[in-house]
Amino acid sequence: MEYLIGIQGPDFVLVAADNVAASSIIQMKHDYDKMFKLSEKILLLCVGEAGDTVQFAEYIQKNVQLYKMRNGYELSPTAAANFTRKNLADYLRSRTPYHVNLLLAGYDEAEGPGLFYMDYLSSLAKAPFAAHGYGAFLTLSILDRYYRPDLSRDDAVDLLKKCVEELSKRFILNLPSFTVRLIDKDGIHDMEKLTLSGEMSGFWFWF
Amino acid sequence: MALEDLCHFRDIFQEDITTERFSMPFELKEAGLSFTNNRNLLHFYIPEVEYLDESPIQFGQINLMQSASAISSQESPSAFPLPTNLPFTSSQTVPLPFPMAHGTTTLAFMFQGGVLAAADTRSSCSGLVACPASQKILPIHSHLVGTTSGTSADCMLWKRILARELRLYQLRHSRRLSTRGAAKLLSHMLHPFKGTELCVAATLCGWDGGELEDECHDHEESAGTTKTQKPDLGMTVGPSQGSSFTPQDSSRKARLSGPRLFYVCSDGTRLEGMLFSVGSGSPYAYSILDQGVRWGLTVEEATSVAREAVYRATHRDAYSGNFVDVFHITSKGWTRRKREDLKEEYYREKERQRLERKTQHDILRANTSSRHKPS
């Protein structure tokens, strides 16, 4: 139902998520933002069971910010990803596991860009590209075919558009629009929303 | 606490035993969370397995062995690992005393004149109408109203708990908690019950802003409340602020005031939006609302769209019906429209259709007879 995708380039990470907040067969919101800003250069994309997503993501978000307040510097994407995975693993064998699938994308001065794939069984993998949701079945092979490690930003956006077109063509569910963001050394940049008709809608606001 | 008073938990749990939240509950007489008297906001009693075995209504015959085996089997991973601490969600071991009510049509939307909330009034109990004149829109305080959907008893209880907590917040902090804060508070209060039979799907319709106190906020913060109460002011977690409002704060306040609409569900969903409809009749209502609701509606137009949506939903949905309530929230508070019988609306519409058909028929006859006039 929900869809997340991330593509890492040589000095940036491009991420996109759909905008639908659904409750059984009804779309309750068309402009729901599934990305959570952990720090100036780290984004957490979170999908999964209804309440778990926001609860878990906000918990991680506040803890990462608390780390910054206590220690004066921000967690690196690798550290944040491992912290997230540790929390997922701790809750996994408790009585209230969190059923969430995550993508963590960030840029670090030392390590460069990083994209981390995590799922509800608390697995963690650093990947050049990744996707979550039923849409992943349709788009991972496109990413396999066309991805190159030295993608430019425009190439990455084109690759993303190819994936979204394939979804609109073959996916039975209606995902009309996608929020797109790019992370590089200058921070998080909001890009134009991708809509189903293929035109880019111009407006967007960050919370 | 309201829950404990209702369900007589004091005799089961001792006050001084505290354990980790996720400890194995094989031993009886272990409290889930420390029950202290400090009226901590989020220290609600969290149901342990033993509580659910000893249903206060004493209808079920669940034995502890069964629940213990349910716990030990929780390690088996499934595609959707639900919190398995609660026998209600697994194979039906406790027959419910009576079938729970879930059918309703409620809706709420924002427009230039504030927030409008409308709901039907039928309380159904799996096939029969338990009450044709129940109230599904409950005022929480002067500027906040909540529509309820799901189990009527749960909704009523949790609305009252929310009203109590908001009032306490207002007394402690000399200002009303914003609608966003109230939504977050309700969502966090319902979180421990995720996976149980508790079913509350509410839309909180409120108007923020209003009294702007200049007093300082240097109250002692009870632990765990800062997360829920502070974010709407944008303050960070830290030592209590002793200063009064700066001009920056007042401009932020102006931005934050106005109508607000939030949807909160017991499964954890919390959404902010301009239009929500909840309940078994909600798909029918959505289709009317999506066509008729715009920001620039007048109050009369908005009321008529809301009424129409509820009427159409009650027409199609078996679990909605009887009357329609409409509440309107503005900066001055909420006002309630007189409850209207939808049966009358149905007959009025039938009458209108009959008249339309009659006039069309007359026109047709007039045309044909004029054509046949001998020249």
Side-chain angles (χ1 to χ4, degrees), chain A residues 6-15 105-107 111-115 126-130 147-157 159 182-184:
Chain A
I7 303 173
Q8 179 198 323
D11 59 348
F12 67 91
V13 188
L14 182 72
V15 287
Y107 187 90
E111 301 163 359
L115 176 67
K126 187 171 190 300
F129 57 85
Y147 176 81
R148 293 180 332 270
D150 56 350
L151 277 180
S152 74
R153 284 150 212 251
D154 295 329
D155 288 340
V157 173
L159 186 52
L182 184 116
I183 310 176
D184 63 6

mmCIF file of all heavy atoms in Angstrom, chain A residues 6-15 105-107 111-115 126-130 147-157 159 182-184:
data_model
loop_
_atom_site.group_PDB
_atom_site.id
_atom_site.type_symbol
_atom_site.label_atom_id
_atom_site.label_comp_id
_atom_site.label_asym_id
_atom_site.label_seq_id
_atom_site.Cartn_x
_atom_site.Cartn_y
_atom_site.Cartn_z
ATOM 1 N N GLY A 6 14.646 4.968 -2.143
ATOM 2 C CA GLY A 6 15.823 5.791 -1.943
ATOM 3 C C GLY A 6 16.883 5.428 -2.954
ATOM 4 O O GLY A 6 17.050 4.260 -3.283
ATOM 5 N N ILE A 7 17.591 6.435 -3.455
ATOM 6 C CA ILE A 7 18.656 6.223 -4.437
ATOM 7 C C ILE A 7 19.854 7.037 -3.980
ATOM 8 O O ILE A 7 19.743 8.245 -3.748
ATOM 9 C CB ILE A 7 18.224 6.699 -5.844
ATOM 10 C CG1 ILE A 7 16.950 5.978 -6.267
ATOM 11 C CG2 ILE A 7 19.323 6.454 -6.843
ATOM 12 C CD1 ILE A 7 16.366 6.511 -7.546
ATOM 13 N N GLN A 8 20.993 6.370 -3.856
ATOM 14 C CA GLN A 8 22.193 7.078 -3.414
ATOM 15 C C GLN A 8 23.089 7.395 -4.599
ATOM 16 O O GLN A 8 23.341 6.533 -5.439
ATOM 17 C CB GLN A 8 22.940 6.206 -2.408
ATOM 18 C CG GLN A 8 24.219 6.857 -1.900
ATOM 19 C CD GLN A 8 25.151 5.849 -1.279
ATOM 20 O OE1 GLN A 8 24.705 4.914 -0.621
ATOM 21 N NE2 GLN A 8 26.439 6.023 -1.498
ATOM 22 N N GLY A 9 23.559 8.625 -4.650
ATOM 23 C CA GLY A 9 24.499 9.003 -5.692
ATOM 24 C C GLY A 9 25.887 9.179 -5.096
ATOM 25 O O GLY A 9 26.127 8.831 -3.946
ATOM 26 N N PRO A 10 26.818 9.722 -5.859
ATOM 27 C CA PRO A 10 28.175 9.873 -5.342
ATOM 28 C C PRO A 10 28.272 10.880 -4.209
ATOM 29 O O PRO A 10 29.095 10.732 -3.316
ATOM 30 C CB PRO A 10 28.982 10.337 -6.565
ATOM 31 C CG PRO A 10 27.982 10.841 -7.521
ATOM 32 C CD PRO A 10 26.704 10.135 -7.268
ATOM 33 N N ASP A 11 27.413 11.928 -4.238
ATOM 34 C CA ASP A 11 27.486 12.905 -3.153
ATOM 35 C C ASP A 11 26.106 13.379 -2.714
ATOM 36 O O ASP A 11 25.943 14.486 -2.224
ATOM 37 C CB ASP A 11 28.307 14.128 -3.603
ATOM 38 C CG ASP A 11 27.664 14.775 -4.823
ATOM 39 O OD1 ASP A 11 26.761 14.165 -5.433
ATOM 40 O OD2 ASP A 11 28.049 15.904 -5.154
ATOM 41 N N PHE A 12 25.110 12.524 -2.898
ATOM 42 C CA PHE A 12 23.753 12.921 -2.477
ATOM 43 C C PHE A 12 22.946 11.642 -2.275
ATOM 44 O O PHE A 12 23.345 10.551 -2.672
ATOM 45 C CB PHE A 12 23.073 13.800 -3.530
ATOM 46 C CG PHE A 12 22.777 13.068 -4.819
ATOM 47 C CD1 PHE A 12 21.569 12.420 -5.017
ATOM 48 C CD2 PHE A 12 23.730 13.005 -5.830
ATOM 49 C CE1 PHE A 12 21.310 11.723 -6.184
ATOM 50 C CE2 PHE A 12 23.472 12.314 -7.003
ATOM 51 C CZ PHE A 12 22.262 11.671 -7.177
ATOM 52 N N VAL A 13 21.794 11.809 -1.605
ATOM 53 C CA VAL A 13 20.816 10.712 -1.536
ATOM 54 C C VAL A 13 19.468 11.300 -1.915
ATOM 55 O O VAL A 13 19.085 12.353 -1.415
ATOM 56 C CB VAL A 13 20.708 10.098 -0.120
ATOM 57 C CG1 VAL A 13 19.842 8.847 -0.161
ATOM 58 C CG2 VAL A 13 22.056 9.784 0.451
ATOM 59 N N LEU A 14 18.771 10.617 -2.797
ATOM 60 C CA LEU A 14 17.449 11.058 -3.212
ATOM 61 C C LEU A 14 16.429 10.093 -2.617
ATOM 62 O O LEU A 14 16.590 8.886 -2.747
ATOM 63 C CB LEU A 14 17.349 11.036 -4.731
ATOM 64 C CG LEU A 14 16.040 11.515 -5.358
ATOM 65 C CD1 LEU A 14 15.926 13.011 -5.222
ATOM 66 C CD2 LEU A 14 16.008 11.121 -6.821
ATOM 67 N N VAL A 15 15.422 10.635 -1.930
ATOM 68 C CA VAL A 15 14.406 9.769 -1.333
ATOM 69 C C VAL A 15 13.026 10.273 -1.734
ATOM 70 O O VAL A 15 12.830 11.473 -1.944
ATOM 71 C CB VAL A 15 14.508 9.720 0.209
ATOM 72 C CG1 VAL A 15 15.696 8.922 0.635
ATOM 73 C CG2 VAL A 15 14.515 11.090 0.795
ATOM 74 N N ALA A 105 18.174 7.911 5.414
ATOM 75 C CA ALA A 105 19.062 8.504 4.406
ATOM 76 C C ALA A 105 19.765 9.684 5.036
ATOM 77 O O ALA A 105 19.132 10.502 5.716
ATOM 78 C CB ALA A 105 18.246 8.968 3.199
ATOM 79 N N GLY A 106 21.061 9.782 4.803
ATOM 80 C CA GLY A 106 21.783 10.893 5.393
ATOM 81 C C GLY A 106 23.069 11.190 4.689
ATOM 82 O O GLY A 106 23.555 10.410 3.853
ATOM 83 N N TYR A 107 23.630 12.343 5.040
ATOM 84 C CA TYR A 107 24.918 12.737 4.481
ATOM 85 C C TYR A 107 25.853 13.037 5.632
ATOM 86 O O TYR A 107 25.493 13.758 6.573
ATOM 87 C CB TYR A 107 24.768 13.968 3.590
ATOM 88 C CG TYR A 107 26.043 14.306 2.859
ATOM 89 C CD1 TYR A 107 26.302 13.765 1.604
ATOM 90 C CD2 TYR A 107 27.003 15.130 3.430
ATOM 91 C CE1 TYR A 107 27.468 14.036 0.933
ATOM 92 C CE2 TYR A 107 28.176 15.411 2.766
ATOM 93 C CZ TYR A 107 28.409 14.866 1.521
ATOM 94 O OH TYR A 107 29.575 15.153 0.858
ATOM 95 N N GLU A 111 31.873 10.321 5.947
ATOM 96 C CA GLU A 111 31.557 9.096 5.213
ATOM 97 C C GLU A 111 30.880 9.349 3.884
ATOM 98 O O GLU A 111 30.754 8.433 3.086
ATOM 99 C CB GLU A 111 30.626 8.206 6.045
ATOM 100 C CG GLU A 111 31.214 7.822 7.380
ATOM 101 C CD GLU A 111 30.116 7.305 8.305
ATOM 102 O OE1 GLU A 111 28.946 7.282 7.878
ATOM 103 O OE2 GLU A 111 30.439 6.956 9.438
ATOM 104 N N GLY A 112 30.362 10.536 3.697
ATOM 105 C CA GLY A 112 29.625 10.781 2.462
ATOM 106 C C GLY A 112 28.177 10.397 2.604
ATOM 107 O O GLY A 112 27.655 10.269 3.712
ATOM 108 N N PRO A 113 27.486 10.221 1.497
ATOM 109 C CA PRO A 113 26.057 9.905 1.573
ATOM 110 C C PRO A 113 25.853 8.454 1.996
ATOM 111 O O PRO A 113 26.700 7.600 1.747
ATOM 112 C CB PRO A 113 25.578 10.121 0.138
ATOM 113 C CG PRO A 113 26.770 9.855 -0.698
ATOM 114 C CD PRO A 113 27.959 10.284 0.106
ATOM 115 N N GLY A 114 24.712 8.189 2.625
ATOM 116 C CA GLY A 114 24.411 6.820 3.055
ATOM 117 C C GLY A 114 22.920 6.572 3.022
ATOM 118 O O GLY A 114 22.130 7.436 3.399
ATOM 119 N N LEU A 115 22.553 5.385 2.550
ATOM 120 C CA LEU A 115 21.151 4.976 2.532
ATOM 121 C C LEU A 115 21.075 3.635 3.244
ATOM 122 O O LEU A 115 21.796 2.702 2.897
ATOM 123 C CB LEU A 115 20.651 4.838 1.100
ATOM 124 C CG LEU A 115 19.229 4.335 0.918
ATOM 125 C CD1 LEU A 115 18.244 5.350 1.426
ATOM 126 C CD2 LEU A 115 18.962 4.043 -0.547
ATOM 127 N N LYS A 126 23.151 -1.377 4.453
ATOM 128 C CA LYS A 126 23.480 -0.153 3.717
ATOM 129 C C LYS A 126 23.433 -0.502 2.247
ATOM 130 O O LYS A 126 24.069 -1.450 1.812
ATOM 131 C CB LYS A 126 24.877 0.321 4.105
ATOM 132 C CG LYS A 126 25.249 1.668 3.533
ATOM 133 C CD LYS A 126 26.554 2.169 4.141
ATOM 134 C CE LYS A 126 26.818 3.613 3.779
ATOM 135 N NZ LYS A 126 26.919 3.858 2.348
ATOM 136 N N ALA A 127 22.656 0.269 1.504
ATOM 137 C CA ALA A 127 22.390 -0.125 0.119
ATOM 138 C C ALA A 127 22.509 1.083 -0.797
ATOM 139 O O ALA A 127 22.235 2.198 -0.385
ATOM 140 C CB ALA A 127 20.987 -0.728 -0.004
ATOM 141 N N PRO A 128 22.875 0.869 -2.043
ATOM 142 C CA PRO A 128 22.918 1.995 -2.979
ATOM 143 C C PRO A 128 21.528 2.456 -3.397
ATOM 144 O O PRO A 128 21.332 3.610 -3.744
ATOM 145 C CB PRO A 128 23.692 1.440 -4.175
ATOM 146 C CG PRO A 128 23.519 -0.022 -4.083
ATOM 147 C CD PRO A 128 23.392 -0.365 -2.644
ATOM 148 N N PHE A 129 20.566 1.537 -3.396
ATOM 149 C CA PHE A 129 19.185 1.921 -3.657
ATOM 150 C C PHE A 129 18.290 0.929 -2.932
ATOM 151 O O PHE A 129 18.684 -0.220 -2.695
ATOM 152 C CB PHE A 129 18.870 1.947 -5.157
ATOM 153 C CG PHE A 129 19.143 0.648 -5.847
ATOM 154 C CD1 PHE A 129 18.219 -0.377 -5.870
ATOM 155 C CD2 PHE A 129 20.364 0.448 -6.489
ATOM 156 C CE1 PHE A 129 18.490 -1.569 -6.506
ATOM 157 C CE2 PHE A 129 20.646 -0.723 -7.131
ATOM 158 C CZ PHE A 129 19.706 -1.751 -7.133
ATOM 159 N N ALA A 130 17.102 1.363 -2.572
ATOM 160 C CA ALA A 130 16.223 0.495 -1.781
ATOM 161 C C ALA A 130 14.798 0.985 -1.929
ATOM 162 O O ALA A 130 14.556 2.148 -2.256
ATOM 163 C CB ALA A 130 16.629 0.509 -0.310
ATOM 164 N N TYR A 147 20.586 1.652 -12.499
ATOM 165 C CA TYR A 147 21.376 2.371 -11.497
ATOM 166 C C TYR A 147 22.856 2.299 -11.834
ATOM 167 O O TYR A 147 23.364 1.253 -12.268
ATOM 168 C CB TYR A 147 21.129 1.760 -10.111
ATOM 169 C CG TYR A 147 21.988 2.389 -9.050
ATOM 170 C CD1 TYR A 147 21.627 3.607 -8.482
ATOM 171 C CD2 TYR A 147 23.162 1.780 -8.621
ATOM 172 C CE1 TYR A 147 22.412 4.193 -7.522
ATOM 173 C CE2 TYR A 147 23.946 2.369 -7.667
ATOM 174 C CZ TYR A 147 23.570 3.568 -7.114
ATOM 175 O OH TYR A 147 24.354 4.146 -6.155
ATOM 176 N N ARG A 148 23.539 3.433 -11.638
ATOM 177 C CA ARG A 148 25.000 3.458 -11.715
ATOM 178 C C ARG A 148 25.497 4.212 -10.507
ATOM 179 O O ARG A 148 24.849 5.157 -10.058
ATOM 180 C CB ARG A 148 25.465 4.188 -12.984
ATOM 181 C CG ARG A 148 25.145 3.500 -14.272
ATOM 182 C CD ARG A 148 25.668 4.340 -15.449
ATOM 183 N NE ARG A 148 25.735 5.759 -15.171
ATOM 184 C CZ ARG A 148 24.764 6.640 -15.385
ATOM 185 N NH1 ARG A 148 23.609 6.226 -15.867
ATOM 186 N NH2 ARG A 148 24.931 7.910 -15.108
ATOM 187 N N PRO A 149 26.645 3.847 -9.983
ATOM 188 C CA PRO A 149 27.122 4.554 -8.784
ATOM 189 C C PRO A 149 27.437 6.019 -9.042
ATOM 190 O O PRO A 149 27.460 6.809 -8.109
ATOM 191 C CB PRO A 149 28.389 3.782 -8.398
ATOM 192 C CG PRO A 149 28.274 2.466 -9.072
ATOM 193 C CD PRO A 149 27.491 2.694 -10.323
ATOM 194 N N ASP A 150 27.672 6.398 -10.290
ATOM 195 C CA ASP A 150 28.060 7.788 -10.557
ATOM 196 C C ASP A 150 26.894 8.572 -11.175
ATOM 197 O O ASP A 150 27.085 9.403 -12.037
ATOM 198 C CB ASP A 150 29.265 7.818 -11.497
ATOM 199 C CG ASP A 150 28.960 7.051 -12.789
ATOM 200 O OD1 ASP A 150 27.898 6.374 -12.829
ATOM 201 O OD2 ASP A 150 29.738 7.135 -13.738
ATOM 202 N N LEU A 151 25.697 8.302 -10.677
ATOM 203 C CA LEU A 151 24.511 9.020 -11.161
ATOM 204 C C LEU A 151 24.623 10.499 -10.850
ATOM 205 O O LEU A 151 25.054 10.878 -9.766
ATOM 206 C CB LEU A 151 23.259 8.507 -10.436
ATOM 207 C CG LEU A 151 22.540 7.260 -10.893
ATOM 208 C CD1 LEU A 151 21.365 7.026 -9.985
ATOM 209 C CD2 LEU A 151 22.058 7.425 -12.311
ATOM 210 N N SER A 152 24.187 11.322 -11.788
ATOM 211 C CA SER A 152 24.049 12.733 -11.459
ATOM 212 C C SER A 152 22.684 12.945 -10.818
ATOM 213 O O SER A 152 21.853 12.044 -10.796
ATOM 214 C CB SER A 152 24.148 13.581 -12.725
ATOM 215 O OG SER A 152 22.946 13.444 -13.472
ATOM 216 N N ARG A 153 22.453 14.147 -10.293
ATOM 217 C CA ARG A 153 21.177 14.393 -9.642
ATOM 218 C C ARG A 153 20.019 14.291 -10.617
ATOM 219 O O ARG A 153 18.972 13.702 -10.308
ATOM 220 C CB ARG A 153 21.162 15.790 -9.005
ATOM 221 C CG ARG A 153 21.940 15.850 -7.730
ATOM 222 C CD ARG A 153 22.533 17.219 -7.482
ATOM 223 N NE ARG A 153 23.789 17.063 -6.754
ATOM 224 C CZ ARG A 153 23.935 17.405 -5.489
ATOM 225 N NH1 ARG A 153 22.937 17.918 -4.838
ATOM 226 N NH2 ARG A 153 25.090 17.240 -4.894
ATOM 227 N N ASP A 154 20.179 14.828 -11.799
ATOM 228 C CA ASP A 154 19.092 14.729 -12.783
ATOM 229 C C ASP A 154 18.845 13.291 -13.183
ATOM 230 O O ASP A 154 17.696 12.863 -13.351
ATOM 231 C CB ASP A 154 19.437 15.556 -14.027
ATOM 232 C CG ASP A 154 19.510 17.027 -13.705
ATOM 233 O OD1 ASP A 154 18.771 17.440 -12.789
ATOM 234 O OD2 ASP A 154 20.297 17.751 -14.341
ATOM 235 N N ASP A 155 19.924 12.529 -13.339
ATOM 236 C CA ASP A 155 19.741 11.111 -13.666
ATOM 237 C C ASP A 155 18.963 10.402 -12.582
ATOM 238 O O ASP A 155 18.110 9.560 -12.863
ATOM 239 C CB ASP A 155 21.113 10.424 -13.815
ATOM 240 C CG ASP A 155 21.818 10.846 -15.079
ATOM 241 O OD1 ASP A 155 21.130 11.339 -15.987
ATOM 242 O OD2 ASP A 155 23.050 10.687 -15.144
ATOM 243 N N ALA A 156 19.277 10.730 -11.339
ATOM 244 C CA ALA A 156 18.576 10.065 -10.237
ATOM 245 C C ALA A 156 17.102 10.427 -10.258
ATOM 246 O O ALA A 156 16.228 9.568 -10.052
ATOM 247 C CB ALA A 156 19.201 10.452 -8.901
ATOM 248 N N VAL A 157 16.800 11.693 -10.518
ATOM 249 C CA VAL A 157 15.383 12.091 -10.573
ATOM 250 C C VAL A 157 14.695 11.396 -11.738
ATOM 251 O O VAL A 157 13.542 10.949 -11.626
ATOM 252 C CB VAL A 157 15.261 13.619 -10.681
ATOM 253 C CG1 VAL A 157 13.830 14.027 -10.908
ATOM 254 C CG2 VAL A 157 15.773 14.285 -9.422
ATOM 255 N N LEU A 159 15.474 8.480 -12.954
ATOM 256 C CA LEU A 159 15.282 7.086 -12.523
ATOM 257 C C LEU A 159 14.084 6.991 -11.595
ATOM 258 O O LEU A 159 13.250 6.071 -11.710
ATOM 259 C CB LEU A 159 16.561 6.603 -11.826
ATOM 260 C CG LEU A 159 16.640 5.154 -11.414
ATOM 261 C CD1 LEU A 159 16.305 4.247 -12.557
ATOM 262 C CD2 LEU A 159 18.037 4.861 -10.894
ATOM 263 N N LEU A 182 15.993 15.617 -1.325
ATOM 264 C CA LEU A 182 17.371 15.304 -1.679
ATOM 265 C C LEU A 182 18.265 15.750 -0.536
ATOM 266 O O LEU A 182 18.124 16.866 -0.035
ATOM 267 C CB LEU A 182 17.747 16.030 -2.972
ATOM 268 C CG LEU A 182 19.129 15.716 -3.508
ATOM 269 C CD1 LEU A 182 19.018 15.040 -4.842
ATOM 270 C CD2 LEU A 182 19.949 16.964 -3.641
ATOM 271 N N ILE A 183 19.181 14.885 -0.141
ATOM 272 C CA ILE A 183 20.109 15.240 0.940
ATOM 273 C C ILE A 183 21.507 15.282 0.356
ATOM 274 O O ILE A 183 21.942 14.323 -0.290
ATOM 275 C CB ILE A 183 20.085 14.197 2.069
ATOM 276 C CG1 ILE A 183 18.649 13.912 2.499
ATOM 277 C CG2 ILE A 183 20.893 14.679 3.249
ATOM 278 C CD1 ILE A 183 18.554 12.829 3.526
ATOM 279 N N ASP A 184 22.194 16.403 0.591
ATOM 280 C CA ASP A 184 23.602 16.453 0.202
ATOM 281 C C ASP A 184 24.362 17.247 1.256
ATOM 282 O O ASP A 184 23.842 17.488 2.347
ATOM 283 C CB ASP A 184 23.762 17.031 -1.206
ATOM 284 C CG ASP A 184 23.289 18.467 -1.278
ATOM 285 O OD1 ASP A 184 22.937 19.047 -0.218
ATOM 286 O OD2 ASP A 184 23.258 19.022 -2.381
#
